[in-house]
Amino acid sequence: MNTEKLAQVLIIDDESSSIEVMTTMLESTMTIFVAETAEDGYNLLKLHDFDIILLDVDLPDISGFDLCKKIKSEKKFANIPVIFISGYKDLIFEIQAFEAGGVDYLSKPISPVKMLIRMSVALNIKLPIPSSKSIKID
């Protein structure tokens, strides 16, 4: 059995239920690191080589938008895809996410299937995603 992880993921979110959903979906195929503040997330970023960042918009210290701009301004981190995760569903927040350098935007509550699809595209790897035949549409 191949136990090699497909990617290293940094989750920066202060909401425990969101963290739980994301880690449950990803821990079998990816190495997960979690930070609950922008500062802790940035410090982890300096210590490890991440393939992707899942970033909440609302953090206790600074906004996810500001953190993303900081990450993207540094050559070492500029190519790491950032997917924003947010409770905000308004288009203005999505626009701000892309302006900050994000590659995608997902609204909470997080759809695990959508998250896997978007991560698969951002990472350009095949993740275990349910096929369209296995998803029931009401």
Side-chain angles (χ1 to χ4, degrees):
M1 181 177 167
N2 183 5
T3 58
E4 185 177 325
K5 301 290 184 166
L6 296 173
Q8 287 210 130
V9 180
L10 174 57
I11 298 171
I12 306 173
D13 195 327
D14 64 331
E15 190 176 301
S16 58
S17 60
S18 293
I19 294 168
E20 186 177 334
V21 168
M22 290 185 275
T23 55
T24 300
M25 282 300 299
L26 303 173
E27 64 191 353
S28 65
T29 56
M30 300 188 184
T31 303
I32 309 297
F33 291 80
V34 175
E36 294 186 7
T37 67
E39 181 180 4
D40 290 346
Y42 191 74
N43 289 335
L44 279 173
L45 189 60
K46 292 188 287 186
L47 297 173
H48 303 279
D49 293 324
F50 291 104
D51 298 298
I52 193 164
I53 300 169
L54 301 176
L55 179 58
D56 188 15
V57 169
D58 277 332
L59 296 169
D61 43 359
I62 64 169
S63 80
F65 301 135
D66 290 337
L67 177 58
C68 187
K69 289 175 191 173
K70 181 177 179 178
I71 291 168
K72 295 299 179 176
S73 72
E74 294 195 33
K75 189 175 183 178
K76 180 179 178 183
F77 309 130
N79 292 324
I80 302 171
V82 175
I83 296 178
F84 279 93
I85 309 290
S86 176
Y88 299 113
K89 294 176 179 22
D90 298 332
L91 181 60
I92 188 72
F93 292 99
E94 288 189 52
I95 292 168
Q96 287 178 297
F98 289 108
E99 287 175 345
V103 298
D104 213 331
Y105 186 95
L106 292 169
S107 296
K108 294 178 184 179
I110 301 163
S111 160
V113 173
K114 275 187 184 180
M115 183 180 70
L116 288 173
I117 291 168
R118 306 289 177 82
M119 289 180 71
S120 183
V121 169
L123 290 167
N124 197 26
I125 60 174
K126 184 126 175 91
L127 294 174
I129 300 167
S131 73
S132 59
K133 295 177 176 107
S134 68
I135 297 174
K136 302 215 184 299
I137 300 173
D138 294 327

Short mmCIF file of all heavy atoms in Angstrom, two decimals, residues 39-100:
data_model
loop_
_atom_site.label_atom_id
_atom_site.label_comp_id
_atom_site.label_asym_id
_atom_site.label_seq_id
_atom_site.Cartn_x
_atom_site.Cartn_y
_atom_site.Cartn_z
N GLU A 39 -0.77 35.07 12.00
CA GLU A 39 0.63 35.04 12.44
C GLU A 39 1.15 33.61 12.55
O GLU A 39 2.24 33.29 12.06
CB GLU A 39 0.77 35.76 13.79
CG GLU A 39 2.21 35.80 14.28
CD GLU A 39 2.38 36.50 15.62
OE1 GLU A 39 1.38 36.92 16.24
OE2 GLU A 39 3.54 36.62 16.04
N ASP A 40 0.37 32.74 13.18
CA ASP A 40 0.79 31.33 13.30
C ASP A 40 0.90 30.67 11.93
O ASP A 40 1.82 29.88 11.68
CB ASP A 40 -0.18 30.55 14.18
CG ASP A 40 -0.10 30.95 15.66
OD1 ASP A 40 0.89 31.63 16.04
OD2 ASP A 40 -1.02 30.59 16.41
N GLY A 41 -0.03 30.98 11.04
CA GLY A 41 0.01 30.43 9.70
C GLY A 41 1.24 30.88 8.94
O GLY A 41 1.91 30.09 8.28
N TYR A 42 1.56 32.16 9.06
CA TYR A 42 2.73 32.69 8.37
C TYR A 42 4.02 32.07 8.92
O TYR A 42 4.93 31.75 8.17
CB TYR A 42 2.76 34.21 8.49
CG TYR A 42 3.79 34.83 7.59
CD1 TYR A 42 3.59 34.91 6.21
CD2 TYR A 42 4.99 35.32 8.11
CE1 TYR A 42 4.55 35.45 5.37
CE2 TYR A 42 5.95 35.87 7.28
CZ TYR A 42 5.71 35.93 5.91
OH TYR A 42 6.66 36.46 5.09
N ASN A 43 4.06 31.86 10.23
CA ASN A 43 5.23 31.22 10.84
C ASN A 43 5.39 29.78 10.35
O ASN A 43 6.51 29.33 10.08
CB ASN A 43 5.16 31.28 12.36
CG ASN A 43 5.38 32.69 12.89
OD1 ASN A 43 6.03 33.51 12.24
ND2 ASN A 43 4.83 32.98 14.05
N LEU A 44 4.29 29.06 10.23
CA LEU A 44 4.35 27.69 9.68
C LEU A 44 4.81 27.71 8.23
O LEU A 44 5.58 26.84 7.80
CB LEU A 44 2.98 27.01 9.77
CG LEU A 44 2.59 26.40 11.10
CD1 LEU A 44 1.14 25.93 11.08
CD2 LEU A 44 3.51 25.25 11.46
N LEU A 45 4.35 28.69 7.49
CA LEU A 45 4.73 28.83 6.08
C LEU A 45 6.25 28.98 5.93
O LEU A 45 6.84 28.44 5.00
CB LEU A 45 4.00 30.03 5.49
CG LEU A 45 4.07 30.25 4.00
CD1 LEU A 45 3.48 29.07 3.24
CD2 LEU A 45 3.32 31.52 3.62
N LYS A 46 6.87 29.66 6.87
CA LYS A 46 8.32 29.86 6.82
C LYS A 46 9.08 28.58 7.17
O LYS A 46 10.24 28.44 6.79
CB LYS A 46 8.73 31.00 7.75
CG LYS A 46 8.23 32.36 7.28
CD LYS A 46 8.81 33.51 8.09
CE LYS A 46 8.22 33.58 9.47
NZ LYS A 46 8.64 34.77 10.23
N LEU A 47 8.43 27.65 7.87
CA LEU A 47 9.11 26.44 8.34
C LEU A 47 8.94 25.23 7.42
O LEU A 47 9.71 24.28 7.49
CB LEU A 47 8.59 26.05 9.73
CG LEU A 47 8.86 27.04 10.86
CD1 LEU A 47 8.14 26.60 12.13
CD2 LEU A 47 10.36 27.17 11.10
N HIS A 48 7.90 25.22 6.59
CA HIS A 48 7.57 24.04 5.78
C HIS A 48 7.33 24.45 4.33
O HIS A 48 7.02 25.60 4.04
CB HIS A 48 6.31 23.36 6.32
CG HIS A 48 6.43 22.94 7.75
ND1 HIS A 48 7.07 21.79 8.15
CD2 HIS A 48 6.00 23.53 8.89
CE1 HIS A 48 7.03 21.69 9.47
NE2 HIS A 48 6.38 22.74 9.95
N ASP A 49 7.44 23.46 3.46
CA ASP A 49 7.14 23.68 2.03
C ASP A 49 5.72 23.21 1.75
O ASP A 49 5.47 22.01 1.67
CB ASP A 49 8.13 22.91 1.15
CG ASP A 49 9.54 23.45 1.25
OD1 ASP A 49 9.68 24.68 1.38
OD2 ASP A 49 10.49 22.66 1.21
N PHE A 50 4.81 24.16 1.61
CA PHE A 50 3.42 23.82 1.37
C PHE A 50 3.09 23.83 -0.11
O PHE A 50 3.64 24.63 -0.87
CB PHE A 50 2.49 24.78 2.13
CG PHE A 50 2.56 24.59 3.62
CD1 PHE A 50 3.25 25.48 4.41
CD2 PHE A 50 1.95 23.49 4.21
CE1 PHE A 50 3.34 25.29 5.78
CE2 PHE A 50 2.03 23.29 5.58
CZ PHE A 50 2.72 24.20 6.36
N ASP A 51 2.16 22.95 -0.49
CA ASP A 51 1.71 22.88 -1.87
C ASP A 51 0.47 23.74 -2.10
O ASP A 51 0.20 24.17 -3.21
CB ASP A 51 1.39 21.42 -2.24
CG ASP A 51 2.63 20.55 -2.14
OD1 ASP A 51 3.59 20.81 -2.88
OD2 ASP A 51 2.64 19.63 -1.29
N ILE A 52 -0.30 23.97 -1.03
CA ILE A 52 -1.55 24.74 -1.13
C ILE A 52 -1.92 25.28 0.24
O ILE A 52 -1.56 24.69 1.26
CB ILE A 52 -2.69 23.87 -1.73
CG1 ILE A 52 -3.88 24.72 -2.14
CG2 ILE A 52 -3.07 22.73 -0.79
CD1 ILE A 52 -4.86 24.00 -3.06
N ILE A 53 -2.64 26.40 0.23
CA ILE A 53 -3.12 27.01 1.47
C ILE A 53 -4.64 27.17 1.39
O ILE A 53 -5.15 27.68 0.39
CB ILE A 53 -2.47 28.40 1.69
CG1 ILE A 53 -0.95 28.26 1.79
CG2 ILE A 53 -3.04 29.07 2.94
CD1 ILE A 53 -0.20 29.59 1.73
N LEU A 54 -5.33 26.72 2.42
CA LEU A 54 -6.77 26.96 2.57
C LEU A 54 -6.90 28.04 3.64
O LEU A 54 -6.52 27.84 4.79
CB LEU A 54 -7.49 25.67 3.00
CG LEU A 54 -7.33 24.49 2.04
CD1 LEU A 54 -8.00 23.25 2.62
CD2 LEU A 54 -7.88 24.80 0.68
N LEU A 55 -7.42 29.20 3.24
CA LEU A 55 -7.34 30.40 4.08
C LEU A 55 -8.71 31.01 4.33
O LEU A 55 -9.43 31.36 3.39
CB LEU A 55 -6.42 31.41 3.37
CG LEU A 55 -6.20 32.77 4.02
CD1 LEU A 55 -5.62 32.64 5.42
CD2 LEU A 55 -5.28 33.61 3.13
N ASP A 56 -9.03 31.17 5.61
CA ASP A 56 -10.27 31.83 6.01
C ASP A 56 -10.13 33.34 5.80
O ASP A 56 -9.04 33.90 5.93
CB ASP A 56 -10.55 31.52 7.48
CG ASP A 56 -11.92 31.99 7.95
OD1 ASP A 56 -12.78 32.31 7.11
OD2 ASP A 56 -12.13 32.04 9.17
N VAL A 57 -11.23 33.99 5.49
CA VAL A 57 -11.23 35.44 5.31
C VAL A 57 -11.13 36.14 6.66
O VAL A 57 -10.36 37.08 6.83
CB VAL A 57 -12.49 35.91 4.55
CG1 VAL A 57 -12.63 37.41 4.58
CG2 VAL A 57 -12.45 35.41 3.11
N ASP A 58 -11.91 35.69 7.63
CA ASP A 58 -11.95 36.31 8.96
C ASP A 58 -11.02 35.58 9.92
O ASP A 58 -11.31 34.45 10.32
CB ASP A 58 -13.37 36.28 9.54
CG ASP A 58 -14.23 37.41 9.02
OD1 ASP A 58 -13.68 38.47 8.69
OD2 ASP A 58 -15.45 37.23 8.97
N LEU A 59 -9.94 36.23 10.29
CA LEU A 59 -9.01 35.68 11.27
C LEU A 59 -8.94 36.64 12.44
O LEU A 59 -9.23 37.83 12.29
CB LEU A 59 -7.63 35.48 10.64
CG LEU A 59 -7.59 34.45 9.50
CD1 LEU A 59 -6.26 34.52 8.77
CD2 LEU A 59 -7.85 33.05 10.04
N PRO A 60 -8.55 36.16 13.62
CA PRO A 60 -8.57 37.03 14.80
C PRO A 60 -7.55 38.17 14.77
O PRO A 60 -7.77 39.19 15.42
CB PRO A 60 -8.28 36.08 15.96
CG PRO A 60 -7.88 34.79 15.38
CD PRO A 60 -8.23 34.78 13.94
N ASP A 61 -6.46 38.02 14.02
CA ASP A 61 -5.45 39.07 14.05
C ASP A 61 -5.49 39.99 12.82
O ASP A 61 -5.58 41.20 12.97
CB ASP A 61 -4.04 38.50 14.27
CG ASP A 61 -3.74 37.25 13.45
OD1 ASP A 61 -4.60 36.77 12.69
OD2 ASP A 61 -2.61 36.75 13.57
N ILE A 62 -5.42 39.44 11.60
CA ILE A 62 -5.58 40.27 10.40
C ILE A 62 -6.48 39.52 9.42
O ILE A 62 -6.72 38.33 9.59
CB ILE A 62 -4.22 40.62 9.71
CG1 ILE A 62 -3.52 39.37 9.18
CG2 ILE A 62 -3.33 41.42 10.64
CD1 ILE A 62 -2.34 39.67 8.27
N SER A 63 -6.94 40.20 8.40
CA SER A 63 -7.83 39.53 7.46
C SER A 63 -7.05 38.54 6.59
O SER A 63 -5.84 38.72 6.35
CB SER A 63 -8.54 40.55 6.56
OG SER A 63 -7.70 40.97 5.51
N GLY A 64 -7.74 37.53 6.13
CA GLY A 64 -7.14 36.58 5.20
C GLY A 64 -6.68 37.25 3.92
O GLY A 64 -5.68 36.86 3.33
N PHE A 65 -7.39 38.29 3.51
CA PHE A 65 -6.99 39.03 2.31
C PHE A 65 -5.60 39.65 2.50
O PHE A 65 -4.74 39.56 1.63
CB PHE A 65 -8.00 40.14 1.97
CG PHE A 65 -9.39 39.65 1.72
CD1 PHE A 65 -10.47 40.30 2.29
CD2 PHE A 65 -9.65 38.55 0.90
CE1 PHE A 65 -11.78 39.87 2.05
CE2 PHE A 65 -10.94 38.11 0.66
CZ PHE A 65 -12.01 38.77 1.24
N ASP A 66 -5.40 40.29 3.66
CA ASP A 66 -4.10 40.91 3.94
C ASP A 66 -3.00 39.87 4.04
O ASP A 66 -1.89 40.09 3.55
CB ASP A 66 -4.16 41.75 5.22
CG ASP A 66 -5.01 43.00 5.06
OD1 ASP A 66 -5.19 43.46 3.90
OD2 ASP A 66 -5.50 43.52 6.08
N LEU A 67 -3.30 38.74 4.65
CA LEU A 67 -2.30 37.67 4.75
C LEU A 67 -1.94 37.14 3.37
O LEU A 67 -0.77 36.92 3.06
CB LEU A 67 -2.81 36.54 5.64
CG LEU A 67 -1.85 35.34 5.75
CD1 LEU A 67 -0.48 35.76 6.30
CD2 LEU A 67 -2.48 34.25 6.61
N CYS A 68 -2.93 36.96 2.52
CA CYS A 68 -2.68 36.46 1.17
C CYS A 68 -1.79 37.44 0.39
O CYS A 68 -0.84 37.02 -0.29
CB CYS A 68 -3.98 36.22 0.42
SG CYS A 68 -3.77 35.41 -1.18
N LYS A 69 -2.06 38.72 0.51
CA LYS A 69 -1.22 39.72 -0.16
C LYS A 69 0.22 39.64 0.33
O LYS A 69 1.17 39.73 -0.46
CB LYS A 69 -1.78 41.13 0.08
CG LYS A 69 -3.07 41.42 -0.66
CD LYS A 69 -3.61 42.78 -0.27
CE LYS A 69 -5.02 42.97 -0.79
NZ LYS A 69 -5.63 44.21 -0.29
N LYS A 70 0.39 39.44 1.63
CA LYS A 70 1.73 39.32 2.22
C LYS A 70 2.43 38.08 1.66
O LYS A 70 3.60 38.14 1.28
CB LYS A 70 1.62 39.24 3.74
CG LYS A 70 2.95 39.15 4.45
CD LYS A 70 2.75 39.15 5.96
CE LYS A 70 4.07 39.04 6.70
NZ LYS A 70 3.90 39.09 8.16
N ILE A 71 1.71 36.97 1.60
CA ILE A 71 2.27 35.72 1.08
C ILE A 71 2.68 35.90 -0.39
O ILE A 71 3.77 35.52 -0.79
CB ILE A 71 1.25 34.57 1.23
CG1 ILE A 71 1.07 34.22 2.71
CG2 ILE A 71 1.66 33.35 0.41
CD1 ILE A 71 -0.12 33.30 2.99
N LYS A 72 1.79 36.47 -1.17
CA LYS A 72 2.03 36.62 -2.60
C LYS A 72 3.14 37.63 -2.92
O LYS A 72 3.72 37.60 -3.99
CB LYS A 72 0.74 37.01 -3.34
CG LYS A 72 -0.32 35.92 -3.29
CD LYS A 72 0.18 34.66 -3.96
CE LYS A 72 -0.82 33.55 -3.93
NZ LYS A 72 -0.37 32.36 -4.64
N SER A 73 3.44 38.52 -1.97
CA SER A 73 4.48 39.52 -2.20
C SER A 73 5.89 38.95 -2.02
O SER A 73 6.87 39.58 -2.39
CB SER A 73 4.30 40.72 -1.26
OG SER A 73 4.63 40.35 0.07
N GLU A 74 5.97 37.75 -1.46
CA GLU A 74 7.28 37.13 -1.25
C GLU A 74 7.54 36.07 -2.31
O GLU A 74 6.74 35.15 -2.49
CB GLU A 74 7.35 36.53 0.15
CG GLU A 74 7.28 37.60 1.22
CD GLU A 74 7.70 37.11 2.58
OE1 GLU A 74 8.59 36.23 2.64
OE2 GLU A 74 7.15 37.60 3.55
N LYS A 75 8.66 36.21 -2.97
CA LYS A 75 9.00 35.34 -4.10
C LYS A 75 8.94 33.86 -3.71
O LYS A 75 8.46 33.02 -4.47
CB LYS A 75 10.39 35.70 -4.62
CG LYS A 75 10.77 35.02 -5.89
CD LYS A 75 12.11 35.53 -6.39
CE LYS A 75 12.43 34.86 -7.71
NZ LYS A 75 13.68 35.34 -8.28
N LYS A 76 9.41 33.53 -2.52
CA LYS A 76 9.46 32.13 -2.05
C LYS A 76 8.07 31.50 -1.98
O LYS A 76 7.92 30.29 -2.16
CB LYS A 76 10.15 32.08 -0.69
CG LYS A 76 10.27 30.69 -0.12
CD LYS A 76 10.97 30.71 1.23
CE LYS A 76 11.02 29.30 1.80
NZ LYS A 76 11.62 29.25 3.12
N PHE A 77 7.05 32.30 -1.69
CA PHE A 77 5.70 31.77 -1.48
C PHE A 77 4.72 32.13 -2.59
O PHE A 77 3.59 31.65 -2.60
CB PHE A 77 5.12 32.30 -0.16
CG PHE A 77 6.01 32.12 1.03
CD1 PHE A 77 6.27 33.19 1.88
CD2 PHE A 77 6.60 30.90 1.31
CE1 PHE A 77 7.08 33.03 2.99
CE2 PHE A 77 7.43 30.74 2.42
CZ PHE A 77 7.67 31.81 3.26
N ALA A 78 5.12 32.97 -3.50
CA ALA A 78 4.21 33.55 -4.49
C ALA A 78 3.46 32.52 -5.34
O ALA A 78 2.32 32.77 -5.75
CB ALA A 78 4.96 34.51 -5.41
N ASN A 79 4.05 31.37 -5.58
CA ASN A 79 3.41 30.37 -6.44
C ASN A 79 2.55 29.35 -5.70
O ASN A 79 2.01 28.44 -6.32
CB ASN A 79 4.47 29.66 -7.29
CG ASN A 79 5.08 30.60 -8.30
OD1 ASN A 79 4.41 31.46 -8.85
ND2 ASN A 79 6.37 30.45 -8.53
N ILE A 80 2.43 29.48 -4.40
CA ILE A 80 1.58 28.56 -3.64
C ILE A 80 0.12 28.97 -3.85
O ILE A 80 -0.25 30.11 -3.53
CB ILE A 80 1.91 28.58 -2.13
CG1 ILE A 80 3.38 28.21 -1.89
CG2 ILE A 80 0.98 27.62 -1.38
CD1 ILE A 80 3.83 28.40 -0.45
N PRO A 81 -0.71 28.07 -4.40
CA PRO A 81 -2.12 28.44 -4.59
C PRO A 81 -2.84 28.63 -3.24
O PRO A 81 -2.64 27.85 -2.31
CB PRO A 81 -2.72 27.27 -5.37
CG PRO A 81 -1.71 26.19 -5.37
CD PRO A 81 -0.41 26.73 -4.89
N VAL A 82 -3.64 29.68 -3.18
CA VAL A 82 -4.43 29.99 -1.99
C VAL A 82 -5.91 29.88 -2.36
O VAL A 82 -6.38 30.56 -3.27
CB VAL A 82 -4.13 31.40 -1.45
CG1 VAL A 82 -5.05 31.74 -0.28
CG2 VAL A 82 -2.67 31.53 -1.05
N ILE A 83 -6.62 29.00 -1.65
CA ILE A 83 -8.07 28.91 -1.81
C ILE A 83 -8.70 29.52 -0.57
O ILE A 83 -8.43 29.09 0.56
CB ILE A 83 -8.53 27.45 -1.98
CG1 ILE A 83 -7.96 26.86 -3.28
CG2 ILE A 83 -10.07 27.37 -1.98
CD1 ILE A 83 -8.31 25.40 -3.52
N PHE A 84 -9.51 30.54 -0.78
CA PHE A 84 -10.19 31.19 0.33
C PHE A 84 -11.41 30.37 0.75
O PHE A 84 -12.15 29.85 -0.09
CB PHE A 84 -10.62 32.61 -0.04
CG PHE A 84 -9.52 33.60 0.06
CD1 PHE A 84 -8.74 33.92 -1.04
CD2 PHE A 84 -9.24 34.23 1.27
CE1 PHE A 84 -7.72 34.84 -0.94
CE2 PHE A 84 -8.21 35.15 1.38
CZ PHE A 84 -7.45 35.45 0.27
N ILE A 85 -11.61 30.30 2.06
CA ILE A 85 -12.76 29.63 2.65
C ILE A 85 -13.46 30.69 3.51
O ILE A 85 -12.82 31.30 4.36
CB ILE A 85 -12.32 28.47 3.57
CG1 ILE A 85 -11.34 27.52 2.88
CG2 ILE A 85 -13.53 27.74 4.13
CD1 ILE A 85 -11.91 26.68 1.77
N SER A 86 -14.76 30.92 3.27
CA SER A 86 -15.41 32.02 3.98
C SER A 86 -16.89 31.78 4.19
O SER A 86 -17.53 31.12 3.39
CB SER A 86 -15.22 33.31 3.20
OG SER A 86 -15.92 34.37 3.82
N GLY A 87 -17.39 32.36 5.25
CA GLY A 87 -18.83 32.35 5.49
C GLY A 87 -19.56 33.39 4.66
O GLY A 87 -20.78 33.37 4.55
N TYR A 88 -18.81 34.31 4.06
CA TYR A 88 -19.41 35.36 3.24
C TYR A 88 -19.74 34.81 1.86
O TYR A 88 -18.91 34.21 1.20
CB TYR A 88 -18.47 36.55 3.09
CG TYR A 88 -18.12 37.22 4.39
CD1 TYR A 88 -16.82 37.18 4.88
CD2 TYR A 88 -19.09 37.89 5.15
CE1 TYR A 88 -16.48 37.79 6.08
CE2 TYR A 88 -18.76 38.50 6.34
CZ TYR A 88 -17.46 38.45 6.80
OH TYR A 88 -17.14 39.06 7.99
N LYS A 89 -20.96 35.06 1.41
CA LYS A 89 -21.39 34.58 0.11
C LYS A 89 -21.52 35.71 -0.92
O LYS A 89 -21.78 35.47 -2.08
CB LYS A 89 -22.72 33.83 0.24
CG LYS A 89 -22.58 32.54 1.04
CD LYS A 89 -23.91 31.86 1.25
CE LYS A 89 -23.89 30.58 1.99
NZ LYS A 89 -22.83 30.23 2.86
N ASP A 90 -21.29 36.94 -0.48
CA ASP A 90 -21.42 38.09 -1.36
C ASP A 90 -20.28 38.14 -2.39
O ASP A 90 -19.13 37.85 -2.06
CB ASP A 90 -21.41 39.40 -0.57
CG ASP A 90 -22.59 39.49 0.39
OD1 ASP A 90 -23.63 38.89 0.11
OD2 ASP A 90 -22.44 40.15 1.44
N LEU A 91 -20.62 38.53 -3.59
CA LEU A 91 -19.65 38.61 -4.68
C LEU A 91 -18.47 39.51 -4.35
O LEU A 91 -17.33 39.23 -4.74
CB LEU A 91 -20.35 39.09 -5.96
CG LEU A 91 -19.48 39.21 -7.20
CD1 LEU A 91 -18.86 37.86 -7.56
CD2 LEU A 91 -20.30 39.76 -8.35
N ILE A 92 -18.68 40.57 -3.59
CA ILE A 92 -17.61 41.51 -3.25
C ILE A 92 -16.46 40.80 -2.54
O ILE A 92 -15.28 41.12 -2.76
CB ILE A 92 -18.13 42.72 -2.42
CG1 ILE A 92 -17.05 43.78 -2.26
CG2 ILE A 92 -18.64 42.28 -1.07
CD1 ILE A 92 -16.75 44.54 -3.50
N PHE A 93 -16.77 39.81 -1.71
CA PHE A 93 -15.72 39.07 -0.99
C PHE A 93 -14.95 38.17 -1.95
O PHE A 93 -13.73 38.02 -1.83
CB PHE A 93 -16.31 38.27 0.17
CG PHE A 93 -16.83 39.16 1.26
CD1 PHE A 93 -18.19 39.45 1.34
CD2 PHE A 93 -15.97 39.74 2.17
CE1 PHE A 93 -18.67 40.29 2.33
CE2 PHE A 93 -16.44 40.58 3.17
CZ PHE A 93 -17.80 40.86 3.25
N GLU A 94 -15.64 37.57 -2.90
CA GLU A 94 -14.96 36.76 -3.92
C GLU A 94 -14.01 37.63 -4.74
O GLU A 94 -12.87 37.22 -5.02
CB GLU A 94 -15.97 36.07 -4.83
CG GLU A 94 -16.71 34.94 -4.15
CD GLU A 94 -17.54 34.14 -5.13
OE1 GLU A 94 -16.99 33.70 -6.16
OE2 GLU A 94 -18.75 33.95 -4.86
N ILE A 95 -14.47 38.81 -5.11
CA ILE A 95 -13.62 39.72 -5.89
C ILE A 95 -12.38 40.08 -5.08
O ILE A 95 -11.26 40.05 -5.60
CB ILE A 95 -14.42 40.98 -6.29
CG1 ILE A 95 -15.51 40.62 -7.30
CG2 ILE A 95 -13.48 42.06 -6.86
CD1 ILE A 95 -16.52 41.72 -7.56
N GLN A 96 -12.56 40.39 -3.80
CA GLN A 96 -11.42 40.74 -2.95
C GLN A 96 -10.44 39.56 -2.83
O GLN A 96 -9.23 39.76 -2.78
CB GLN A 96 -11.89 41.15 -1.55
CG GLN A 96 -12.55 42.51 -1.53
CD GLN A 96 -13.05 42.85 -0.14
OE1 GLN A 96 -13.93 42.18 0.40
NE2 GLN A 96 -12.48 43.87 0.46
N ALA A 97 -10.98 38.35 -2.78
CA ALA A 97 -10.13 37.16 -2.68
C ALA A 97 -9.23 37.03 -3.91
O ALA A 97 -8.02 36.79 -3.79
CB ALA A 97 -10.99 35.91 -2.52
N PHE A 98 -9.80 37.22 -5.09
CA PHE A 98 -9.01 37.13 -6.31
C PHE A 98 -8.03 38.31 -6.43
O PHE A 98 -6.89 38.13 -6.86
CB PHE A 98 -9.91 37.02 -7.54
CG PHE A 98 -10.58 35.67 -7.63
CD1 PHE A 98 -11.94 35.54 -7.38
CD2 PHE A 98 -9.87 34.53 -7.95
CE1 PHE A 98 -12.57 34.30 -7.44
CE2 PHE A 98 -10.48 33.28 -8.02
CZ PHE A 98 -11.83 33.17 -7.77
N GLU A 99 -8.46 39.49 -6.02
CA GLU A 99 -7.57 40.65 -6.04
C GLU A 99 -6.38 40.46 -5.10
O GLU A 99 -5.28 40.95 -5.37
CB GLU A 99 -8.33 41.92 -5.65
CG GLU A 99 -9.27 42.41 -6.72
CD GLU A 99 -10.12 43.60 -6.29
OE1 GLU A 99 -10.22 43.90 -5.07
OE2 GLU A 99 -10.70 44.25 -7.18
N ALA A 100 -6.59 39.72 -4.01
CA ALA A 100 -5.52 39.47 -3.04
C ALA A 100 -4.53 38.42 -3.53
O ALA A 100 -3.45 38.26 -2.97
CB ALA A 100 -6.11 39.06 -1.70
#
